Amino acid sequence: MRRALVLGGGGVTGVAWELGLLAALVERGVAVTEADLVVGTSAGSVVGAQVRSGVPLQGLYEEQLAPSTGETAARLGLWVVARLLWAGGRTRDAVRSRARIGAMAVAARTPSEASQRAVIEARLPAREWPARRLLVTAVDAASGEFVVFDGADGVSLVDAVGASCAVPGVWPPVTIGARRFVDGGMRSSVNADLAAGAQRVLVLAPTSASFGPMPRLAAQVAELRAAGSRVVVVTPDAAARAAIGRNVLDPARRAGAARAGWTQAAAVADEVRALWV
């Protein structure tokens, strides 16, 4: 496997920033959409599905610039963050930590699964799994097991992406069969280690936050490099962080985040091109 594109989580602003950056890279002649593998976590699963849909990134980027009128802003507020830290940070056992977060997510008052599924479905240009390899991450809310969907398991793309985006305490866990799933970012905000075996890895990480026993992005990147992969990691620059703001779930920040991603591409294009060609 030559090239892997890893897309991390970061809310609606993370989707916008990633799309702006990717669209601008393609505009500059860097064929980032031609990755042999795309790994998507949370917001990155939305972008991954969009990248693999075949719809031109320029159009997807322009959609991010549309007014957010009528969209409801959610908030990963201090109370939710405190509950996540309390649930997941009390043990060094990663699986147990995720199971406690899952229990918190199941007990939380959130919008209905049906309403959130409709939101996810509207964000995906295609509803079927792509022919080219896409991995979507999630966590079993009951067991804490880390799960990777790839289309070979009979799970619909909409449900897989919905599960990956199910932020505990904000959105409802997603029911698939007899199991319920929460955000793949509860294992790692990026899950870059899933690109193991790729010669070249491009990681877009709107956030690299971690807590408790979560694996750190730096450690995952170090492991990839130790195994022989060339890795470039792109995170939001100062202008992008300002555009994103403190609430990554606020759609009013989406257009600014998308433009910031587009602008930032100029500074990273040469490094990404050297990796990708």
Side-chain angles (χ1 to χ4, degrees):
M1 178 172 56
R2 284 189 63 217
R3 300 180 296 194
L5 174 62
V6 179
L7 303 166
V12 295
T13 55
V15 170
W17 176 79
E18 289 181 350
L19 282 174
L21 187 63
L22 290 170
L25 288 171
V26 170
E27 183 78 7
R28 290 171 175 271
V30 186
V32 286
T33 58
E34 297 302 312
D36 301 296
L37 168 68
V38 175
V39 177
T41 292
S42 198
S45 71
V46 175
V47 178
Q50 292 173 327
V51 165
R52 283 303 205 214
S53 71
V55 173
L57 285 182
Q58 180 65 33
L60 295 170
Y61 164 68
E62 290 173 359
E63 289 179 4
Q64 297 297 308
L65 306 180
S68 61
T69 306
E71 296 185 51
T72 302
R75 178 171 289 277
L76 192 61
L78 291 177
W79 175 239
V80 175
V81 172
R83 292 176 68 194
L84 283 172
L85 293 171
W86 182 81
R90 293 183 296 149
T91 175
R92 294 181 181 272
D93 185 309
V95 176
R96 183 177 299 175
S97 171
R98 296 194 295 265
R100 287 175 172 171
I101 291 172
M104 182 273 282
V106 169
R109 296 181 62 182
T110 63
S112 70
E113 280 193 60
S115 65
Q116 185 60 13
R117 191 181 196 278
V119 170
I120 296 297
E121 189 169 21
R123 291 176 179 167
L124 303 185
R127 310 294 189 269
E128 302 298 324
W129 283 90
R132 303 187 71 180
R133 197 171 181 214
L134 170 66
L135 303 182
V136 174
T137 68
V139 168
D140 185 300
S143 68
E145 176 191 358
F146 179 57
V147 177
V148 182
F149 299 113
D150 63 2
D153 37 36
V155 174
S156 78
L157 180 61
V158 174
D159 286 337
V161 172
S164 193
C165 293
V167 180
V170 178
W171 307 124
V174 171
T175 303
I176 300 175
R179 304 168 75 183
R180 301 189 78 188
F181 295 90
V182 296
D183 197 322
M186 295 303 101
R187 189 262 183 175
S188 161
S189 61
V190 182
N191 292 302
D193 54 330
L194 293 181
Q199 296 172 13
R200 305 171 185 192
V201 183
L202 174 60
V203 179
L204 303 190
T207 176
S208 56
S210 59
F211 62 90
M214 283 185 176
R216 274 50 174 177
L217 174 59
Q220 293 180 339
V221 170
E223 289 177 5
L224 289 171
R225 287 174 173 157
S229 298
R230 292 175 55 194
V231 184
V232 168
V233 178
V234 182
T235 60
D237 60 14
R241 292 195 298 273
I244 288 168
R246 295 184 177 182
N247 182 11
V248 301
L249 301 178
D250 184 357
R253 291 277 186 170
R254 185 177 57 205
R259 291 190 182 95
W262 179 280
T263 301
Q264 187 178 349
V268 302
D270 288 345
E271 183 181 17
V272 175
R273 183 181 292 107
L275 171 79
W276 212 244
V277 296

mmCIF file of all heavy atoms in Angstrom, residues 63-80:
data_model
loop_
_atom_site.group_PDB
_atom_site.id
_atom_site.type_symbol
_atom_site.label_atom_id
_atom_site.label_comp_id
_atom_site.label_asym_id
_atom_site.label_seq_id
_atom_site.Cartn_x
_atom_site.Cartn_y
_atom_site.Cartn_z
ATOM 1 N N GLU A 63 -19.978 24.130 -0.513
ATOM 2 C CA GLU A 63 -21.139 23.889 0.334
ATOM 3 C C GLU A 63 -20.871 24.320 1.775
ATOM 4 O O GLU A 63 -21.787 24.741 2.496
ATOM 5 C CB GLU A 63 -21.528 22.413 0.296
ATOM 6 C CG GLU A 63 -22.145 21.960 -1.022
ATOM 7 C CD GLU A 63 -22.476 20.483 -1.007
ATOM 8 O OE1 GLU A 63 -22.299 19.834 0.058
ATOM 9 O OE2 GLU A 63 -22.909 19.966 -2.061
ATOM 10 N N GLN A 64 -19.612 24.227 2.210
ATOM 11 C CA GLN A 64 -19.262 24.632 3.575
ATOM 12 C C GLN A 64 -19.376 26.135 3.777
ATOM 13 O O GLN A 64 -19.463 26.613 4.909
ATOM 14 C CB GLN A 64 -17.839 24.172 3.905
ATOM 15 C CG GLN A 64 -17.644 22.678 3.897
ATOM 16 C CD GLN A 64 -18.482 21.971 4.947
ATOM 17 O OE1 GLN A 64 -18.443 22.329 6.120
ATOM 18 N NE2 GLN A 64 -19.238 20.976 4.533
ATOM 19 N N LEU A 65 -19.367 26.880 2.691
ATOM 20 C CA LEU A 65 -19.418 28.339 2.765
ATOM 21 C C LEU A 65 -20.841 28.880 2.842
ATOM 22 O O LEU A 65 -21.042 30.072 3.070
ATOM 23 C CB LEU A 65 -18.706 28.950 1.554
ATOM 24 C CG LEU A 65 -17.277 28.481 1.307
ATOM 25 C CD1 LEU A 65 -16.704 29.173 0.088
ATOM 26 C CD2 LEU A 65 -16.396 28.706 2.531
ATOM 27 N N ALA A 66 -21.825 27.994 2.653
ATOM 28 C CA ALA A 66 -23.220 28.425 2.680
ATOM 29 C C ALA A 66 -23.620 28.865 4.081
ATOM 30 O O ALA A 66 -23.098 28.353 5.085
ATOM 31 C CB ALA A 66 -24.123 27.293 2.209
ATOM 32 N N PRO A 67 -24.557 29.804 4.205
ATOM 33 C CA PRO A 67 -25.018 30.246 5.525
ATOM 34 C C PRO A 67 -25.572 29.081 6.339
ATOM 35 O O PRO A 67 -26.166 28.146 5.785
ATOM 36 C CB PRO A 67 -26.113 31.269 5.197
ATOM 37 C CG PRO A 67 -25.798 31.740 3.813
ATOM 38 C CD PRO A 67 -25.196 30.569 3.102
ATOM 39 N N SER A 68 -25.387 29.141 7.635
ATOM 40 C CA SER A 68 -25.828 28.055 8.517
ATOM 41 C C SER A 68 -27.227 28.290 9.068
ATOM 42 O O SER A 68 -27.613 27.685 10.067
ATOM 43 C CB SER A 68 -24.837 27.896 9.677
ATOM 44 O OG SER A 68 -24.773 29.088 10.431
ATOM 45 N N THR A 69 -27.987 29.151 8.415
ATOM 46 C CA THR A 69 -29.333 29.490 8.879
ATOM 47 C C THR A 69 -30.181 28.240 9.089
ATOM 48 O O THR A 69 -30.262 27.383 8.212
ATOM 49 C CB THR A 69 -30.030 30.400 7.857
ATOM 50 O OG1 THR A 69 -29.198 31.523 7.605
ATOM 51 C CG2 THR A 69 -31.375 30.866 8.390
ATOM 52 N N GLY A 70 -30.790 28.136 10.261
ATOM 53 C CA GLY A 70 -31.676 27.014 10.536
ATOM 54 C C GLY A 70 -30.991 25.825 11.179
ATOM 55 O O GLY A 70 -31.662 24.923 11.689
ATOM 56 N N GLU A 71 -29.662 25.791 11.180
ATOM 57 C CA GLU A 71 -28.953 24.684 11.804
ATOM 58 C C GLU A 71 -28.749 24.976 13.280
ATOM 59 O O GLU A 71 -28.428 26.096 13.671
ATOM 60 C CB GLU A 71 -27.603 24.468 11.126
ATOM 61 C CG GLU A 71 -27.711 24.043 9.668
ATOM 62 C CD GLU A 71 -26.349 23.731 9.084
ATOM 63 O OE1 GLU A 71 -25.612 22.940 9.706
ATOM 64 O OE2 GLU A 71 -26.022 24.292 8.023
ATOM 65 N N THR A 72 -28.940 23.968 14.087
ATOM 66 C CA THR A 72 -28.824 24.119 15.535
ATOM 67 C C THR A 72 -27.390 23.865 15.976
ATOM 68 O O THR A 72 -26.801 22.846 15.613
ATOM 69 C CB THR A 72 -29.763 23.138 16.258
ATOM 70 O OG1 THR A 72 -31.100 23.378 15.827
ATOM 71 C CG2 THR A 72 -29.669 23.324 17.768
ATOM 72 N N ALA A 73 -26.852 24.771 16.740
ATOM 73 C CA ALA A 73 -25.506 24.590 17.285
ATOM 74 C C ALA A 73 -25.576 23.719 18.525
ATOM 75 O O ALA A 73 -26.356 23.978 19.432
ATOM 76 C CB ALA A 73 -24.881 25.937 17.613
ATOM 77 N N ALA A 74 -24.777 22.666 18.528
ATOM 78 C CA ALA A 74 -24.608 21.870 19.738
ATOM 79 C C ALA A 74 -23.403 22.421 20.477
ATOM 80 O O ALA A 74 -22.704 23.310 19.982
ATOM 81 C CB ALA A 74 -24.413 20.407 19.382
ATOM 82 N N ARG A 75 -23.168 21.910 21.658
ATOM 83 C CA ARG A 75 -22.021 22.409 22.423
ATOM 84 C C ARG A 75 -21.416 21.282 23.241
ATOM 85 O O ARG A 75 -22.122 20.572 23.952
ATOM 86 C CB ARG A 75 -22.436 23.546 23.350
ATOM 87 C CG ARG A 75 -21.292 24.074 24.221
ATOM 88 C CD ARG A 75 -21.688 25.318 24.959
ATOM 89 N NE ARG A 75 -21.807 26.440 24.058
ATOM 90 C CZ ARG A 75 -20.773 27.181 23.647
ATOM 91 N NH1 ARG A 75 -19.552 26.881 24.030
ATOM 92 N NH2 ARG A 75 -20.972 28.198 22.839
ATOM 93 N N LEU A 76 -20.109 21.125 23.073
ATOM 94 C CA LEU A 76 -19.374 20.217 23.939
ATOM 95 C C LEU A 76 -18.942 21.043 25.146
ATOM 96 O O LEU A 76 -17.797 21.473 25.269
ATOM 97 C CB LEU A 76 -18.153 19.653 23.197
ATOM 98 C CG LEU A 76 -17.419 18.475 23.853
ATOM 99 C CD1 LEU A 76 -18.361 17.275 23.996
ATOM 100 C CD2 LEU A 76 -16.203 18.081 23.041
ATOM 101 N N GLY A 77 -19.923 21.315 26.008
ATOM 102 C CA GLY A 77 -19.721 22.236 27.114
ATOM 103 C C GLY A 77 -18.878 21.663 28.233
ATOM 104 O O GLY A 77 -18.502 20.479 28.223
ATOM 105 N N LEU A 78 -18.610 22.503 29.217
ATOM 106 C CA LEU A 78 -17.753 22.098 30.325
ATOM 107 C C LEU A 78 -18.346 20.918 31.098
ATOM 108 O O LEU A 78 -17.620 20.046 31.564
ATOM 109 C CB LEU A 78 -17.525 23.283 31.273
ATOM 110 C CG LEU A 78 -16.677 24.428 30.716
ATOM 111 C CD1 LEU A 78 -16.597 25.566 31.732
ATOM 112 C CD2 LEU A 78 -15.282 23.935 30.364
ATOM 113 N N TRP A 79 -19.686 20.892 31.216
ATOM 114 C CA TRP A 79 -20.320 19.797 31.943
ATOM 115 C C TRP A 79 -20.110 18.473 31.216
ATOM 116 O O TRP A 79 -19.775 17.455 31.839
ATOM 117 C CB TRP A 79 -21.800 20.086 32.124
ATOM 118 C CG TRP A 79 -22.591 18.966 32.750
ATOM 119 C CD1 TRP A 79 -23.651 18.315 32.208
ATOM 120 C CD2 TRP A 79 -22.383 18.360 34.032
ATOM 121 N NE1 TRP A 79 -24.120 17.344 33.053
ATOM 122 C CE2 TRP A 79 -23.360 17.351 34.196
ATOM 123 C CE3 TRP A 79 -21.471 18.575 35.053
ATOM 124 C CZ2 TRP A 79 -23.434 16.561 35.337
ATOM 125 C CZ3 TRP A 79 -21.548 17.783 36.203
ATOM 126 C CH2 TRP A 79 -22.527 16.802 36.327
ATOM 127 N N VAL A 80 -20.274 18.476 29.880
ATOM 128 C CA VAL A 80 -20.068 17.251 29.103
ATOM 129 C C VAL A 80 -18.604 16.829 29.171
ATOM 130 O O VAL A 80 -18.288 15.647 29.367
ATOM 131 C CB VAL A 80 -20.506 17.447 27.640
ATOM 132 C CG1 VAL A 80 -20.168 16.216 26.807
ATOM 133 C CG2 VAL A 80 -21.999 17.744 27.562
#
